[in-house]
Amino acid sequence: MFRTLKPFEYLEPKSLEEATGALSKCGTEAKVYAAGVDLVPRMRKRIIAPKCIVNLQRIDEMDDVIASNKDGARIGALASLRSIELSALIKERYFVLHEAIASIASIQVKTQGTAVGNLCVATPASDVAPALFVLDAKIKAVGPSGERLIPIDEFYLGVGKTVLGPNEIITEILLPKAPANTGGGFAKLVRTVSDIAKVNAAAELTMEKGVCKEVRIAVGSVAPTVLRMKKAEDVLRGNKIDQNLIEKAASAAADAVKPITDIRSTAEYRKDTTKVLVKRVLEKALERTKA
Amino acid sequence: MKKEILNFKVNGTPYEIEVEPQMTLNEVLREQLNLTGTKISCAEGECGACTVLVDGKPELSCSMLALAARDKDITTIEGLAKDGELHKIQKGFIEKGAIQCGFCSPGMMLMIKALLDENPNPTKEEITAYIAGNLCRCTGYVKIIDAAKAAAEA
Ligand SMILES: Cc1cc2nc3c(=O)[nH]c(=O)nc-3n(C[C@H](O)[C@H](O)[C@H](O)COP(=O)(O)OP(=O)(O)OC[C@H]3O[C@@H](n4cnc5c(N)ncnc54)[C@H](O)[C@@H]3O)c2cc1C
Ligand code: FES
Ligand code: FES
């Protein structure tokens, strides 16, 4: 027999005010439910046993809309990974995010699971997070005392830990407009296509006359959180880009990571392949700045 | 815990039933509605045996609360045949011998249904990408892909 979930109080608030109010009342005993892909199996395995589940799907102010706005684009917190992957807007203007989600194998997981749920699980192996790091995304969170914007690279505190308070709800992901001549790339290394990453990497590069104007690089699965590779970025920013410099930046990235050994890979291998992946994503990003 | 009313449609039939909030969609389908064609195996999103269509899109009934299906239209494997006539996907599976133990078949067929609804003429690569989240322990993948092709051509 399969284990059933432990009983809990189920709430289906109609407004954010009602939802954050309910969360404040239940405190750390409550969990918000977006689509359940991560939550339900963890409840079944008794890793968590929330006393109260707050389903976000019926909240009036929440949606799954992916649309451009004056500053760039926004993704509603209820948007599924699959709808983001298939969005023409995302493919055209934020290709690195499309590429990252396309690398996740299971169509069912992507059809059901939300990108925000993926971020909140806070695994350093998320494929979505590095893409959002290099796109300089911001997360909008609403709590009882109002809303705040959290830059994605300040969102994570550790494995399974974010800066989100127990009574805060994410309502959208905001993506800034990318300047002209910008390109991005994502790559990951896996045991089998449906497994999570041993290492993954993303880069977003803006060029002007052969010189790197702006660059962001992020690597996942090599530390308790996804990491921005600032030293590697410094190697590139303001300089003429050639193969030699890309190699140098990739080495700087490998020097900056502190991976662990686990069932998927060894620390040493992860360090070595960080260099390879960063090189690959920079090459892809550079190629795409020309398109 | 207090029971809640769940209104939803399964294979076109509207239901109004009482469910306990901790019940998954899989449990309600199998145990309350006796629709045991939907399987459960890993219970954690890895195998696709529990796949159902929610408003036409493939999702995992093991990882979804039943109450999250409120007002939705669920299709299970029992909903494929119409008026005693098997669906062309089911016929394809029979014709190509794509069923061994049969445990993965409901999930596989619903994935192929979702694929053909989106893309009536998929390539072999598109079919494999679509069933990547479905495990066949009998490892009959080649015949499953042949069956999907046969259904697309039927
Ligand atoms: C078989 C399988 C394969 C996978 N493969 C990959 C992979 O290759 N790469 C990858 O990156 N991911 C992968 N995932 C992870 C998957 O993307 C996430 O589990 C899924 O997106 C979670 O989304 P959800 O909407 O179902 O969240 P839920 O399960 O509903 O919630 C997850 C967590 O997020 C919190 N939460 C959700 N929404 C909000 C919100 N709006 N505000 C505040 N908190 C919120 C919940 O409280 C909970 O703690 C895989 C998962 C499975 C099961
Ligand atoms: S039983 Fe749901 S995915 Fe395996
Ligand atoms: S036929 Fe046995 S699991 Fe696929």
Side-chain angles (χ1 to χ4, degrees), chain B residues 40-50 60 62:
Chain B
I40 182 159
S41 179
C42 70
E44 55 182 81
E46 297 277 353
C47 77
C50 66
L60 302 167
C62 73

Side-chain angles (χ1 to χ4, degrees), chain A residues 50-168:
Chain A
K51 297 244 159 58
C52 174
I53 288 287
V54 179
N55 186 349
L56 301 179
Q57 293 168 343
R58 310 277 154 162
I59 295 178
D60 276 344
E61 303 103 307
M62 289 192 65
D63 62 62
D64 58 1
V65 176
I66 304 159
S68 55
N69 59 22
K70 67 175 190 340
D71 303 315
R74 57 89 68 186
I75 298 172
L78 297 177
S80 70
L81 289 165
R82 183 79 172 149
S83 66
I84 302 170
E85 177 188 1
L86 297 179
S87 154
L89 169 70
I90 299 299
K91 248 190 243 178
E92 212 179 285
R93 308 224 312 251
Y94 304 100
F95 189 79
V96 62
L97 181 57
H98 164 82
E99 196 173 27
I101 300 174
S103 82
I104 303 175
S106 163
I107 305 275
Q108 294 97 313
V109 165
K110 292 195 281 191
T111 303
Q112 186 175 338
T114 62
V116 169
N118 176 297
L119 295 179
C120 290
V121 173
T123 149
S126 163
D127 294 316
V128 181
L132 292 178
F133 267 64
V134 303
L135 291 173
D136 209 15
K138 287 193 172 60
I139 308 280
K140 190 189 275 180
V142 173
S145 51
E147 63 179 47
R148 61 174 176 143
L149 282 179
I150 308 163
I152 182 81
D153 56 5
E154 294 169 17
F155 184 63
Y156 292 109
L157 296 173
V159 177
K161 293 200 190 78
T162 71
V163 299
L164 214 60
N167 50 15
E168 280 185 304

Side-chain angles (χ1 to χ4, degrees), chain A residues 13 72 136 155 208 214 270 283:
Chain A
D136 209 15
F155 184 63
E208 200 176 76
E214 187 49 270
R270 284 193 161 109
E283 284 167 356

